[in-house]
């Protein structure tokens, strides 16, 4: 039995070819848009609809096997890195996303001035800036 099959079963999900394909794609790394995940899934399966990929991503996210990111002004992206305390940095130029480990400590790693009665378990932080490639382009363009 494959690791993907084990993960799906351990999280109470039925094992299907689309779920295995999408999970495998996510574990290859990156922060992928649904269209890219669907494109890659179609190279592994006879056919799979974009809606089926959305359904799989929803099931994987609810089960804790995938994480949905929604940077402002960008389409949703998905990653397999879950269960740890990491954040993201997004390039304002090209939209590249990189993981940033939390430097403060344990979850939620940031404490607001007031919790308004909420029991806090996570803080989601998005850093914004320019990646090295966009910095180089900016330097070349201004020269």
């Amino acid at each position: 039995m494959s690791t993907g099959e084990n993960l799906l079963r351990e999280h109470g999900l039925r094992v299907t070819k689309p779920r295995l394909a999408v999970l495998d794609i996510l574990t290859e790394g990156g922060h992928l848009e649904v269209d890219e995940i669907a494109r890659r899934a179609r190279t592994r399966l006879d056919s799979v609809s974009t809606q089926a990929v959305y359904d799989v991503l929803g099931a994987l996210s609810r089960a804790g096997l995938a994480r949905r990111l929604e940077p402002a002004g960008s389409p949703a992206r998905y990653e397999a890195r879950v269960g740890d305390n990491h954040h993201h940095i997004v390039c304002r130029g090209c939209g590249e996303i990189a993981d940033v480990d939390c430097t403060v400590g344990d979850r939620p790693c940031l404490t607001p001035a007031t919790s308004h009665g909420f029991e806090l378990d996570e803080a989601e932080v998005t850093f914004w800036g320019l990646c090295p490639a966009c910095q180089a382009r900016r330097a070349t363009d201004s020269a």
Side-chain angles (χ1 to χ4, degrees):
M1 190 178 323
S2 77
T3 303
E5 291 175 7
N6 289 337
L7 280 172
L8 291 172
R9 287 192 175 106
E10 288 168 6
H11 286 84
L13 297 175
R14 283 184 309 114
V15 176
T16 65
K17 288 181 181 179
R19 285 180 178 171
L20 287 171
V22 170
L23 185 60
D24 188 47
I25 290 163
L26 291 177
T27 57
E28 290 172 356
H31 304 90
L32 304 172
E33 294 179 22
V34 174
D35 289 342
E36 176 63 16
I37 296 168
R39 186 189 66 72
R40 291 185 191 184
R42 288 184 188 110
T43 66
R44 299 166 191 225
L45 304 171
D46 291 333
S47 69
V48 63
S49 69
T50 301
Q51 184 58 52
V53 172
Y54 272 107
D55 293 344
V56 168
L57 289 166
L60 294 177
S61 295
R62 286 187 300 277
L65 293 172
R67 182 176 177 186
R68 178 184 169 121
L69 316 171
E70 295 183 69
S74 297
R77 300 194 187 198
Y78 291 85
E79 69 176 338
R81 185 175 171 187
V82 296
D84 66 352
N85 196 31
H86 79 279
H87 305 297
H88 297 94
I89 187 162
V90 181
C91 178
R92 290 185 190 280
C94 66
E96 178 184 344
I97 299 175
D99 291 333
V100 178
D101 291 327
C102 184
T103 59
V104 178
D106 297 328
R107 287 177 155 204
C109 90
L110 298 172
T111 306
T114 180
S115 68
H116 297 281
F118 285 70
E119 181 180 303
L120 301 177
D121 62 15
E122 185 176 8
E124 187 172 309
V125 176
T126 303
F127 298 95
W128 294 85
L130 285 178
C131 70
C134 287
Q135 291 174 56
R137 269 193 297 280
R138 180 181 63 185
T140 303
D141 291 345
S142 62

